[in-house]
Amino acid sequence: MTATTIKDIAKLARVSHTTVSRALNDSPLINRETKHRIREIADRLNYSPNLSAKSLVLDRSYNIGLFFSTLTSGTSSTFFFETVRGAHRAIPPDYNLVIKGIDDYPDFGKITNKSFDGIILMSQSADDQRFIDAVTTKHIPLVLLNRSVDDGMLLNILADDEQGAYSAAQYLARLGHRKIAIIEGRPGFQSAARRKNGFAKAMQEHEIPLNPDFCVAGNYDVQSGYDAMRRLLGLAERPTAVFCSNDDMAFGAMKACMEAGLKVPEHISLVGFDDNHFSAYLTPALTTVRRPIELISSEGASRLIQAIGRKETIAETILLGAELVIRQSAAAPYKSVDIMEEAHE
Amino acid sequence: MTATTIKDIAKLARVSHTTVSRALNDSPLINRETKHRIREIADRLNYSPNLSAKSLVLDRSYNIGLFFSTLTSGTSSTFFFETVRGAHRAIPPDYNLVIKGIDDYPDFGKITNKSFDGIILMSQSADDQRFIDAVTTKHIPLVLLNRSVDDGMLLNILADDEQGAYSAAQYLARLGHRKIAIIEGRPGFQSAARRKNGFAKAMQEHEIPLNPDFCVAGNYDVQSGYDAMRRLLGLAERPTAVFCSNDDMAFGAMKACMEAGLKVPEHISLVGFDDNHFSAYLTPALTTVRRPIELISSEGASRLIQAIGRKETIAETILLGAELVIRQSAAAPYKSVDIMEEAHE
DNA sequence: CTGTTAGCGCCTTCAG
DNA sequence: CTGAAGGCGCTAACAG
């Protein structure tokens, strides 16, 4: 009933347990035949090494931690799924992909280089800094996804949010819109700031002043997009186009438009950010910016694995392109008289 | 630079490492004062136990495996997210929640009671049976989510798919529909079969014959819902209502309706299954069946933890209710003449 | 090529 | 209440 160990195999093979260990680890020191014989016995006994013992002596846990700022809120399901899948794909099967929220820990004492061989942090905001510090001072290999931090010697991988938002806003401007609003991302999230920057930059280049009424708060979830759009629609002078800082909020925004009897894109243009699984299936299909989340995650994971193997730290910031995907939710503006007329019946 | 161990603490406290071990584990054998003194030293040194060593001697890995049939396809993001979040919530922070796909493993030799203290299986189809057998023969505590298997002594937790689908179909029938179609779930998935059963039962009770043309294949993803609906719309005699076996497919189906110029629910009624995050934000808001995925998962996880603690197996099947959520995508049917007229211009 | 010995960090008898 | 000794399963010198 107790699991078979190398000693059991050693007895049957009439060799020492050391020889068994070496044979099973394919050491060149061992005779081909003995090796073969030992392996057959091991197979027959369904031997599988005790990872805890191995970990103890090799000083590796085989755990890769995938940390989110929190798992309880503020993470959208598509984002989460793609992140996990990307990491999972890049990690060798003998590693454990361990999902954690930073807020699981009252303090970071339990996070040691014994408990994680490496850590992937899908970081949202600067609040994660304490965690990053704890991890780096313990010399645990770390990659930072989705956010860049310049001060340190870290590997950062993220989408070019600013460029992506810039393209989206520029697209709206080129379509002829002048009254362009933005529904912003979650306050404090670096991605939110970067997207707003890109948006502002495009406005500036097209000499469109940034109307404070047209910059409304959101927090990346569907409901917040809905609420924000209602605020926008309540304005005396409505925008003719809205850049939503992510697709979830664009969904909510579209809902609000529909409820108000506005047609998208005839009465109002909408663009999103992320290009999640559902965007193409909305009616109208959502024009948005594709963010390669799964790629960011898998790239980060494989670099981490490399870094662990080579025992060296890499400090670099990798910006992955975010491209505009043109679909049906944005078009040239109606004249505003038309809008007011129809919308107010 | 090497981590502090109980021996380091022992030296400073001028006691044996045994005493330190006991003190840190709050053994009643140790004097209050010594205990206190030792703990302070431990704190000061930022001591954190080496889990591998602990695992080795205690014969526990502190790993809880959360297995999906596969991570590469066939799992929707909302489903995945809610599952992980439910399990995460129920698992004590000193455990590792390890995400795995069954198809990560060529064989199950590496899955031992040393590598996982317990396993949660989010099971889709009967193909998982080999995995289940492997796990149970190794006496690793297991809970099976989302699917029931009767032969064994297992803990099964799942939504009442049949009842849920029944309510949805009954609702459509009571609305006055007679031409009701079903877009089926992924072939081979138990949930798909159960939902179809519930649907069929409702049809039978309302004396509506099951038209084979009205039973179209799907595989739970958005695109398959779209494709299926297009097939339905190509029929000489179109259905007036469609039960989609999950929300993702309902999204796709709605898209196909819109493209065909049909209004939902005026021309055609749609209901889904799952009640995912976006359903309420569709236009029209999706009438669907709420499936408590996160609850299933957290319930499973906490039962597993209990079972591990008590070292006993619990065999039980728990069916969690799935309730109809009435929103706007289903209504009483038009007369078919109207539909033909408008749809064909 | 193989065996002996030692030790990873921790917990658990068994003595005192 | 505390300490000494032993061992969990495995790998790594060091000898032969």
Side-chain angles (χ1 to χ4, degrees), chain A residues 172 254 264-265 268-272 284-288 327-331:
Chain A
L172 291 173
M254 194 176 288
V264 178
I268 190 164
S269 287
L270 248 39
V271 311
L286 189 67
T287 291
T288 187
R327 292 199 272 250
Q328 277 96 46
S329 65

Side-chain angles (χ1 to χ4, degrees), chain A residues 88 104 223 255 281-282, chain B residues 88 100 104 223 255 281-282:
Chain A
H88 175 264
D104 294 345
Q223 181 66 37
K255 177 73 179 173
Y281 293 91
L282 285 185
Chain B
H88 175 264
K100 291 280 185 187
D104 294 345
Q223 181 66 38
K255 177 73 178 173
Y281 293 92
L282 285 184

